[in-house]
Amino acid sequence: MAEATNGYKSGSTLEKILRAGKFAATAELGPPKNADAEVIRKKAAQLKGIADGVNITDNQTAIVRMSSIAAATLSVQNGVEPIMQMTCRDRNRLAMQADMLGAYALGIRNLLCLSGDHQQFGNHPMAKNVYDMDSMTLIRMVKDLRDGNKFQGGEEIKGTNPRFFIGGAENPFADPFEFRPYRLAKKVQAGVDFIQTQLIYNVPKFREFMKRVVDLGLHEKVYILAGVGPIKTAGAAKYMRDQVPGMEVLDEYVQRMEGAGKGIEDKKEKAAAAREEGIKICVELIQQMRETPGVAGVHIMAIEWEEAVKPILERAGLLPRPVVE
Amino acid sequence: MIVAEQKPFEEIKTKIANANKVLVVGCGTCVTVCFAGGEKEVGILASSLRMASKVDGKEKQIDEVTVQRQCEWEYLDTIKDKIGEYDLVLSLGCGIGVQAIAEHFPDARVAPGLNTAFLGLPLEQGVWAERCAACGNCILDLTGGICPIARCSKSLLNGPCGGSDEGKCEISGKDRTVDCAWDLIVKKLMARGELDKLLEIQPAKNWQTSRDGGPRRISREDLMLAKE
Ligand code: SF4
Ligand code: SF4
């Protein structure tokens, strides 16, 4: 039985902000590699009232962390709306649906569906992977639970069904480039409500992607949040450019990061200058995203640097956040 | 074909350590073609083991034989008279061959000399690659003849994922030897003008026909011998 949600699919803040046509801003909250709830509380305090929702990653890069369902619940308790991530790497459809029932019961309303990084990258490369489903069929399953009132296996849900605002990811920089907009179209068809993109450090290429997305009319069917993030060091910029599969970083950003802090002797000051440049680049990127047709918001990935989100949004003119209902 | 690889010599030595009379049994089919357990490999391994046992000061009797197919009873019957003479059979067949010997000769002790790796083919001299995961419900017509179950690292049915990088899979690492199956599928179908195939969402797979449904078996009435 569907709960009353006043015409909203899930009633989450993120959904309301997007529906109201406001430019959304989401952030990330990475769960700790231990069982300390205090870590979540601290990070949540830095993001409360700043971001419309925070992604709670699910064993990101295949490294064991506090479960996204537990961390998302702690986030709810600390007044920050979670966007719970779920990957297909670690759970089969039974476990995923069980977690969805639990997550909804615990007050979680946004769910981001991912295939997940291969376990080879993480701290348990010897693990068996699951991949019972993929991100596409996961999206469809969440939609069926919500709108079809049935489990993936076909059985009807008696009683409260989980009603999530359904997220997905898209990487405009992964190959083959010409197929990416079509893959997004498939996710829309599967039932995705919003999309967060991979980190963008190549605006012309992203705009080319968005042009095709707009030509296909997809921006009217799905909210697209452009992925941006502050770079901390020149080394990080180079690493993302050269080592991370499916990431593109234009040389100009690497050069700017290298140039920041040039001539400064003091190590601390030098690092601070680089961080400042990273934040500056991020603010510029947000501005460029706001000017890109079809973009409904930004997703700020300041991984293990949550305190950077506030100054970034402040300088981008996106604070205070709109209040809905 | 089934592709296998010989176990490291030291491991094989450990496996036969407690036996004095060993029969090394090769197979004339798949593992001959992939140079892992045919007559030639059996010969080389048997003589290396003989030599090693001499060096170690406990000379073993190591004999060799290669049957045409280790996975069929009638070929195994060719060794039924001699198998009882040995304390250990070292099979250079695939995992199926090893089990066939164990099943056909319940008294025999069998050890595997190969690691059975995958169902695949030789790409070039000395290189083999996986092609099929025996999922029990083939969909190759939908994917341009390229298997996403066996060849995509995540067995995605609606790929490619966000890690696909210049035709290579995200697991590739520095040597970049693993192709992204979905990059191959997408490029092939798009070039052929079959985008519509790619746009169709493939539903979640029913894995019951795969290993997940339990050990599999095929029974065909039309081929069974009439019961007396
Ligand atoms: S779809 Fe299944 S049967 Fe066909 S090649 Fe792939 S794994 Fe083998
Ligand atoms: S990169 Fe390609 S082959 Fe590798 S997991 Fe992703 S879709 Fe599959």
Side-chain angles (χ1 to χ4, degrees):
Chain A
M1 205 186 66
E3 228 174 54
T5 40
N6 302 326
Y8 287 109
K9 290 171 173 173
S10 70
S12 76
T13 305
L14 179 61
E15 180 185 4
K16 287 177 182 165
I17 287 196
L18 288 166
R19 275 272 286 274
K22 312 276 186 213
F23 195 78
T26 55
E28 294 222 347
L29 194 165
K33 287 164 79 174
N34 56 44
D36 187 359
E38 197 47 39
V39 178
I40 306 285
R41 274 182 215 119
K42 274 198 191 125
K43 289 184 176 187
Q46 285 167 339
L47 295 165
K48 191 173 174 177
I50 306 291
D52 303 326
V54 297
N55 283 34
I56 311 285
T57 49
D58 179 17
N59 284 347
Q60 197 175 24
T61 57
I63 289 171
V64 176
R65 291 174 180 276
M66 184 186 288
S67 71
S68 60
I69 186 166
T73 304
L74 289 167
S75 181
V76 171
Q77 289 166 1
N78 287 278
V80 174
E81 180 169 295
I83 299 165
M84 180 173 134
Q85 298 194 181
M86 189 177 276
T87 75
C88 301
R89 179 194 55 233
D90 308 331
R91 302 176 186 78
N92 68 5
R93 62 193 85 179
L94 279 91
M96 288 198 279
Q97 291 179 103
D99 277 353
M100 284 175 209
L101 298 183
Y104 190 81
L106 289 165
I108 296 157
R109 292 294 176 266
N110 307 299
L111 189 78
L112 189 83
C113 307
L114 303 167
S115 27
D117 298 314
H118 194 272
Q119 73 276 10
Q120 163 143 329
F121 294 105
N123 57 0
H124 293 78
M126 67 299 275
K128 189 176 196 297
N129 66 26
V130 181
Y131 291 113
D132 178 20
M133 316 196 43
D134 60 21
S135 57
M136 201 72 68
T137 50
L138 171 56
I139 288 168
R140 163 109 348 137
M141 178 163 82
V142 187
K143 185 174 162 66
D144 283 346
L145 289 171
R146 185 186 70 194
D147 300 340
N149 221 28
K150 60 172 198 236
F151 291 108
Q152 200 275 336
E155 193 185 325
E156 185 197 335
I157 304 170
K158 298 204 178 81
T160 306
N161 64 334
R163 304 180 52 78
F164 292 107
F165 194 46
I166 309 169
E170 194 45 66
N171 181 1
F173 307 105
D175 292 309
F177 181 68
E178 55 294 351
F179 185 64
R180 290 290 154 185
Y182 294 117
R183 188 145 189 275
L184 178 57
K186 276 178 92 167
K187 286 194 175 170
V188 170
Q189 198 196 330
V192 82
D193 299 310
F194 71 101
I195 288 284
Q196 291 172 332
T197 77
Q198 167 68 290
L199 280 166
I200 298 159
Y201 293 109
N202 181 345
V203 176
K205 190 163 176 184
F206 176 68
R207 288 196 166 147
E208 203 183 317
F209 167 81
M210 280 308 297
K211 189 181 170 303
R212 297 189 197 192
V213 166
V214 170
D215 286 346
L216 290 169
L218 298 175
H219 64 302
E220 284 165 357
K221 297 178 184 155
V222 64
Y223 300 107
I224 296 167
L225 310 188
V228 295
I231 311 174
K232 236 178 191 165
T233 62
K238 270 189 255 172
Y239 178 78
M240 287 191 287
R241 181 189 64 188
D242 304 329
Q243 304 289 330
V244 183
M247 264 205 84
E248 278 188 31
V249 180
L250 290 185
D251 288 336
E252 66 175 271
Y253 298 117
V254 178
Q255 283 155 12
R256 278 178 65 178
M257 289 306 294
E258 280 170 344
K262 239 195 194 138
I264 301 177
E265 287 295 319
D266 185 86
K267 268 197 179 146
K268 265 193 182 161
E269 278 176 38
K270 200 178 166 88
R275 284 201 298 271
E276 168 58 24
E277 188 66 19
I279 289 181
K280 212 169 131 203
I281 291 172
C282 188
V283 172
E284 289 170 20
L285 286 166
I286 293 179
Q287 199 47 44
Q288 289 168 314
M289 292 306 118
R290 291 177 84 173
E291 291 159 5
T292 303
V295 173
V298 281
H299 175 55
I300 301 163
M301 286 172 261
I303 296 144
E304 296 307 319
W305 194 11
E306 283 80 4
E307 70 268 28
V309 177
K310 189 176 175 191
I312 289 169
L313 287 176
E314 224 153 40
R315 289 202 228 168
L318 288 170
L319 285 184
R321 298 303 306 146
V323 179
V324 279
E325 226 197 356
Chain B
M1 65 172 179
I2 293 171
V3 182
E5 196 173 22
Q6 223 170 75
K7 283 183 177 288
F9 188 65
E10 286 307 313
E11 186 185 342
I12 295 180
K13 262 176 69 182
T14 322
K15 290 209 184 287
I16 67 161
N18 296 327
N20 293 315
K21 290 178 79 181
V22 179
L23 181 64
V24 183
V25 184
C27 174
T29 311
C30 302
V31 294
T32 292
V33 186
C34 65
F35 304 98
E39 197 169 358
K40 194 171 141 223
E41 292 76 29
V42 166
I44 296 168
L45 179 68
S47 64
S48 308
L49 287 172
R50 260 176 236 126
M51 234 154 21
S53 74
K54 230 186 245 172
V55 173
D56 294 345
K58 266 202 302 179
E59 200 172 339
K60 296 179 194 294
Q61 180 188 332
I62 300 190
D63 296 336
E64 52 193 86
V65 64
T66 296
V67 298
Q68 197 174 333
R69 269 210 284 284
Q70 259 185 49
C71 59
E72 286 194 48
W73 309 141
E74 61 176 291
Y75 294 108
L76 285 181
D77 281 338
T78 60
I79 57 168
K80 77 163 184 269
D81 294 333
K82 62 160 93 174
I83 203 151
E85 299 164 24
Y86 298 89
D87 351 304
L88 183 73
V89 177
L90 178 67
S91 163
L92 290 198
C94 69
I96 306 162
V98 180
Q99 293 182 66
I101 292 176
E103 205 165 329
H104 204 50
F105 307 111
D107 294 332
R109 280 174 55 221
V110 199
L114 303 186
N115 289 321
T116 305
F118 50 78
L119 306 179
L121 50 72
L123 285 180
E124 55 186 87
Q125 191 66 29
V127 180
W128 291 265
E130 183 166 15
R131 286 294 179 265
C132 174
C135 76
N137 186 6
C138 199
I139 52 152
L140 285 172
D141 56 316
L142 303 175
T143 54
I146 297 157
C147 174
I149 313 287
R151 295 175 68 182
C152 164
S153 303
K154 302 174 188 169
S155 296
L156 305 180
L157 287 174
N158 297 281
C161 77
S164 180
D165 199 11
E166 290 174 7
K168 298 296 169 191
C169 173
E170 69 175 21
I171 69 152
S172 271
K174 289 213 163 56
D175 58 1
R176 312 212 23 99
T177 46
V178 185
D179 288 330
C180 168
W182 274 103
D183 189 82
L184 296 170
I185 295 168
V186 165
K187 286 193 174 140
K188 186 166 183 181
L189 293 184
M190 279 182 96
R192 270 191 197 167
E194 294 184 21
L195 183 65
D196 52 315
K197 270 189 182 164
L198 292 169
L199 289 182
E200 209 170 296
I201 297 172
Q202 287 310 315
K205 193 169 174 72
N206 178 349
W207 295 104
Q208 276 175 301
T209 56
S210 189
R211 242 295 307 165
D212 307 86
R216 292 168 282 176
R217 177 187 186 110
I218 293 174
S219 309
R220 282 183 51 184
E221 301 272 346
D222 59 329
L223 296 173
M224 290 180 191
L225 297 177
K227 290 206 177 81
E228 304 275 303

